[in-house]
Amino acid sequence: NALATVTVIGVDMAKAPQVRDFPIGEGRLLAAADSQALMLNADLAAQLKLSVGAKLTLPAALGTMRLQVVGLIDSPTAPGEEQVFTTLKTAQQLFGLNGRITTVNAAFTQGADRQAVESAVQARLGSDYQVGGISSNSTLLASMQVAGMAFMMFGLFALATAGFIILNSFRTVVAERRHDIGMLRAVGMRRRHVLAMFLVESLLQGAIGTAAGLLGGWGMAVGAFALMNPMMKAFMHQELGWPVFDPAICLMTVVLGIGVTVAAALIPARSASRISPMEALRAQVGDTYRKRSNRAALAGAALALVSVFGLFTGSASFIGLGSVLILIAVALICPAVVDPLAKATGRLLEVFFRREGAIARSNITRNPGRSSVTASAVMLSLAAIVAMVSVIASIFGGFIKYLDSSMSADYMLIPQSIVLSEGNVAAGPQLAKRVAAADGVRAVSTLRVGMSKTADGEVQVIGIDPATYLDVAAFEWNSGSSDQAVEQLAAGRWVIANGLYAAGHNLTPGQAIELQTPNGVKTYHLAGVGNDYLNAKLSTLYTSQENLAADFNVDDDLLVFADRDAGADPDAVQRRLAAIVADYPAFKLYESASWKDENMQTFNATLIIFDVLIFALAVPSLLALSITLTISVLARRREIGMMRAIGATRRQVRRMVVAESLLLALIGTLFGVFTGLWLGYALVMAMGAVGWQMPYIFPWDGLLITVVAGVAFAVLAARGPSKSAAKLVVVEALRAQ
């Protein structure tokens, strides 16, 4: 069939038509006496190539069920809401519910007050039931919200980086146009006109940049969806559509794009408007700038100390605040240390640029303000690269560690969706019994899934067998927990919480947890905190399968682990298991190595998305370097003309500009590496504080990428300005003011 998943809904046909309409276009309505029948929307039937009288085979707890189509509903199917309807008894048999129901739908009488009716029903039923609807995929949505928050933080960081570069670019423009501003002020231009001139300029640039950003963002989104779609099909059995850009998103993009540009230009514009004619027409005094930069460096040092404190608090909020402060601190310290760093690194550069290197070093130290602006821009972009590479390496390293421990069984029978609580059809205990009885199988254990609700929201509850789980799998324990927690699950109502849930609820071993179950509110206690691969990103509790059956009425398996005997033939065992799984189409048989290979392919595909993000963060530093060098060349036209007049060749002029670019990039790279390592470590620690404990992996590859990127940026950024400088006509350059 063209569709991988459908939602099966069992309805009581004696009452269901009173709650919702079933406009039958062909065939008939289900009857209460139907035992092997279904009805579905006509457009879905066309997609599945079904007609009235045809049969559809569905996965079931006992293997499969073949249901006959008796009616086609004449209403459109919403994407992602593909549903088939069968009788309540048939659905209970299909899912192994043993006469239980999961949801009761009710219709209001005309004019009824919804809030009052819900309150009355809740009072009548008591606290064991939830009134008003429950979302079965709330844990998945919570995980997606975490991912959304991560991308939002990336967007805010990129926006802040762009704003900082715009600010520094306008500061450079104001510094280079001080003479022009002084002339305009001398002939009568008022301060507000100078301010308005720069703000209008920023408004125009912001509008152009925002338009280009909208087009570029659309292209990046389409590319990301194209990369993610195969993963969604393979693991979630869902297909992504096209990116959705509603008017609100477009409006927000325009407001942020233009707003950030104008806001970033406001400080340089106000600074330009306050320059007096006499002050603008004379050169800046170096001592004054150095005093101002020294004061800023002291403030930066104080912020750095505060960020150190935040890093060691263990609080995600303080760590995040410290990460922002360290960026500000480095930006404030940079102007004060550009001069000594340029002198130190300039001598190294003179090994390759013997004559031009000294001139380049002199140009940088002569205008430390402009140099620090460029170095800071390079620092921000390269710091983002190092930090992102650190976080990616740590996350992938952590999840590979989870994969090796919790999914290490020789064979795994895995449902269609790796999110266990999302629409999978479980198998009855017969499947695990058949696997355990197969020749060559040494040990078998299973996972079962129930849903619960606490005062803080929903949580999935995974049932494991404490006696067999550690034979085929393992937990990655957070500090203070060990395998003894698994044994403790057999001693009563105990649970193991994963790191995400434990951190979100500030849980400690021994703490009581009130869980709503189909059999009332039950009190469990925390035995330990650990993670497995499939559920590390979802709020999850683990308990014994005995508790899951008694309190949640769940005794069907959603995942089966199996290990083979030491002397068994792997191929023979796999063939036997494949024959068993063939009777259960809701499951797929994996051998451990192939499962890991498939997941590693997914990781590698995901890396492409992060590579695009890294590239997007790196581009601004390239632009900042190029803009600064271009302005520097324009400001030194007369000086370059003098050099050409006394014998400097075009090649030497080009090498001088390249040397200056390399020197600025080298300074920015040093700051970027330091700041990026700090940010990467802080972000990994912050993930641990919210429950994702990952091993910090030092980003050797990231450092190499950063150094290479810094040098490459310097060479690329210098190409245009160096050619322009070399092509200057001596007479015209000497005539420049």
Side-chain angles (χ1 to χ4, degrees):
N1 289 331
L3 191 68
T5 59
V6 294
T7 300
V8 180
I9 300 176
V11 294
D12 181 356
M13 290 308 299
K15 300 176 181 178
Q18 303 172 29
V19 178
R20 63 177 297 170
D21 292 328
F22 296 100
I24 296 297
E26 185 179 348
R28 63 174 177 83
L29 272 174
L30 282 169
D34 288 331
S35 60
Q36 301 290 319
L38 64 83
M39 58 185 182
L40 71 165
N41 295 73
D43 56 352
L44 177 58
Q47 184 180 352
L48 297 175
K49 299 179 180 179
L50 297 173
S51 59
V52 174
K55 291 190 176 183
L56 177 64
T57 301
L58 295 174
L62 298 178
T64 61
M65 289 185 66
R66 282 179 62 80
L67 306 181
Q68 185 176 29
V69 178
V70 298
L72 301 181
I73 302 171
D74 192 15
S75 61
T77 300
E81 297 293 332
E82 292 83 3
Q83 300 172 342
V84 299
F85 299 88
T86 186
T87 61
L88 182 61
K89 184 177 181 180
T90 301
Q92 290 169 336
Q93 182 182 356
L94 188 146
F95 291 108
L97 293 175
N98 298 323
R100 300 190 302 273
I101 59 175
T102 57
T103 305
V104 176
N105 292 328
F108 294 106
T109 57
Q110 189 173 3
D113 183 281
R114 181 187 183 94
Q115 197 110 18
V117 173
E118 288 186 357
S119 298
V121 173
Q122 186 74 73
R124 184 74 175 268
L125 296 177
S127 60
D128 290 346
Y129 297 88
Q130 179 178 349
V131 177
I134 185 169
S135 172
S136 63
N137 63 347
S138 62
T139 52
L140 177 59
L141 290 177
S143 180
M144 295 178 68
Q145 287 170 356
V146 171
M149 286 293 293
F151 277 102
M152 185 182 73
M153 291 301 296
F154 163 77
L156 291 175
F157 187 85
L159 200 63
T161 303
F164 188 77
I165 291 174
I166 294 168
L167 169 67
N168 287 338
S169 298
F170 271 96
R171 282 180 58 191
T172 303
V173 170
V174 169
E176 299 300 342
R177 288 164 57 182
R178 284 174 61 86
H179 187 272
D180 294 339
I181 295 169
M183 292 294 293
L184 292 172
R185 294 280 286 118
V187 297
M189 179 175 277
R190 296 187 177 183
R191 293 179 181 228
R192 66 173 181 271
H193 293 150
V194 175
L195 177 65
M197 177 179 67
F198 281 100
L199 291 182
V200 169
E201 186 177 333
S202 69
L203 183 64
L204 292 174
Q205 292 184 3
I208 295 171
T210 300
L214 283 170
L215 292 175
W218 171 264
M220 290 179 65
V222 170
F225 274 49
L227 290 171
M228 292 170 60
N229 213 19
M231 291 183 282
M232 291 293 292
K233 286 182 179 179
F235 292 104
M236 301 294 293
H237 294 274
Q238 295 181 2
E239 186 169 353
L240 296 175
W242 284 91
V244 177
F245 286 88
D246 58 31
I249 294 176
C250 294
L251 179 62
M252 182 181 67
T253 303
V254 171
V255 170
L256 288 175
I258 297 177
V260 168
T261 305
V262 174
L266 183 59
I267 295 176
R270 291 185 63 187
S271 174
S273 69
R274 293 174 179 176
I275 298 175
S276 65
M278 292 299 296
E279 182 183 357
L281 292 173
R282 66 169 179 258
Q284 283 184 291
V285 181
D287 290 340
T288 302
Y289 176 82
R290 278 189 288 273
K291 289 179 181 178
R292 190 165 59 246
S293 63
N294 288 338
R295 289 195 297 269
L298 290 175
L303 291 178
L305 289 175
V306 175
S307 63
V308 171
F309 171 77
L311 188 63
F312 288 101
T313 60
S315 166
S317 300
F318 282 113
I319 293 174
L321 176 62
S323 300
V324 175
L325 292 180
I326 197 66
L327 288 173
I328 299 173
V330 173
L332 291 174
I333 293 171
C334 186
V337 298
V338 160
D339 195 4
L341 279 178
K343 291 177 180 177
T345 54
R347 293 187 179 90
L348 176 64
L349 195 65
E350 288 175 31
V351 175
F352 305 97
F353 298 85
R354 189 164 60 87
R355 293 190 179 92
E356 301 87 356
I359 299 174
R361 179 169 51 113
S362 175
N363 289 335
I364 288 176
T365 57
R366 184 173 56 185
N367 197 329
R370 182 178 64 211
S371 303
S372 65
V373 163
T374 306
S376 297
V378 175
M379 176 270 293
L380 275 173
S381 293
L382 297 185
I385 292 175
V386 175
M388 185 170 286
V389 171
S390 299
V391 172
I392 292 170
S394 298
I395 289 176
F396 280 26
F399 275 104
I400 289 172
K401 191 177 180 182
Y402 291 169
L403 180 61
D404 288 337
S405 59
S406 62
M407 307 293 287
S408 59
D410 293 329
Y411 303 100
M412 292 168 285
L413 281 64
I414 298 177
Q416 294 186 31
S417 173
I418 62 172
V419 182
L420 298 182
S421 59
E422 295 306 310
N424 290 304
V425 179
Q430 295 85 352
L431 174 59
K433 290 179 181 177
R434 290 179 63 184
V435 171
D439 289 340
V441 173
R442 178 187 63 84
V444 172
S445 194
T446 65
L447 296 186
R448 299 173 180 175
V449 179
M451 293 298 298
S452 181
K453 188 174 178 64
T454 67
D456 300 318
E458 292 180 37
V459 58
Q460 69 172 356
V461 183
I462 303 291
I464 65 174
D465 184 350
T468 61
Y469 182 77
L470 294 178
D471 293 336
V472 294
F475 284 102
E476 279 296 317
W477 298 107
N478 288 19
S479 58
S481 300
S482 67
D483 286 351
Q484 291 181 349
V486 175
E487 300 173 7
Q488 197 168 355
L489 297 184
R493 287 194 174 97
W494 289 88
V495 293
I496 296 169
N498 72 345
L500 192 64
Y501 187 80
H505 296 78
N506 297 316
L507 298 180
T508 57
Q511 185 171 336
I513 305 172
E514 301 287 334
L515 296 180
Q516 292 185 16
T517 78
N519 296 304
V521 176
K522 304 296 181 182
T523 300
Y524 282 76
H525 290 82
L526 184 66
V529 180
N531 298 286
D532 75 343
Y533 176 71
L534 292 181
N535 303 291
K537 302 180 293 297
L538 302 175
S539 294
T540 304
L541 295 173
Y542 306 85
T543 190
S544 68
Q545 292 179 350
E546 184 179 352
N547 287 334
L548 203 69
D551 293 341
F552 295 88
N553 303 326
V554 175
D555 55 10
D556 293 332
D557 300 319
L558 263 179
L559 194 149
V560 180
F561 296 117
D563 269 0
R564 62 175 174 266
D565 288 324
D569 180 6
D571 293 335
V573 174
Q574 187 162 354
R575 284 195 299 271
R576 296 185 192 107
L577 296 181
I580 295 172
V581 175
D583 295 333
Y584 293 84
F587 290 80
K588 185 174 182 180
L589 175 64
Y590 282 94
E591 192 268 333
S592 179
S594 64
W595 165 257
K596 185 173 181 179
D597 289 343
E598 188 170 309
N599 279 266
M600 291 304 297
Q601 291 175 7
T602 303
F603 288 162
N604 293 332
T606 307
L607 277 175
I608 298 175
I609 300 174
F610 287 108
D611 289 340
V612 173
L613 296 179
I614 290 173
F615 176 77
L617 285 174
V619 168
S621 65
L622 177 62
L623 297 175
L625 261 178
S626 183
I627 291 170
T628 301
L629 290 172
T630 300
I631 293 174
S632 176
V633 168
L634 291 174
R636 303 206 314 267
R637 291 182 65 198
R638 184 177 180 84
E639 176 185 325
I640 294 171
M642 289 291 293
M643 293 175 60
R644 293 278 287 117
I646 62 175
T649 65
R650 294 181 186 274
R651 179 174 180 274
Q652 287 175 326
V653 171
R654 283 197 303 269
R655 284 169 59 85
M656 178 192 70
V657 177
V658 172
E660 185 175 344
S661 179
L662 284 169
L663 196 52
L664 286 171
L666 185 58
I667 295 171
T669 301
L670 290 174
F671 279 109
V673 166
F674 167 77
T675 310
L677 289 174
W678 180 288
L679 284 175
Y681 183 78
L683 289 172
V684 173
M685 293 301 102
M687 286 192 298
V690 298
W692 284 9
Q693 288 197 356
M694 302 290 175
Y696 176 73
I697 297 177
F698 194 84
W700 294 108
D701 293 344
L703 296 184
L704 179 61
I705 292 172
T706 302
V707 173
V708 172
V711 174
F713 288 173
V715 174
L716 290 173
R719 285 180 60 85
S722 63
K723 287 183 178 180
S724 299
K727 290 179 180 180
L728 284 175
V729 179
V730 176
V731 176
E732 292 181 0
L734 292 173
R735 193 185 301 134
Q737 296 295 321

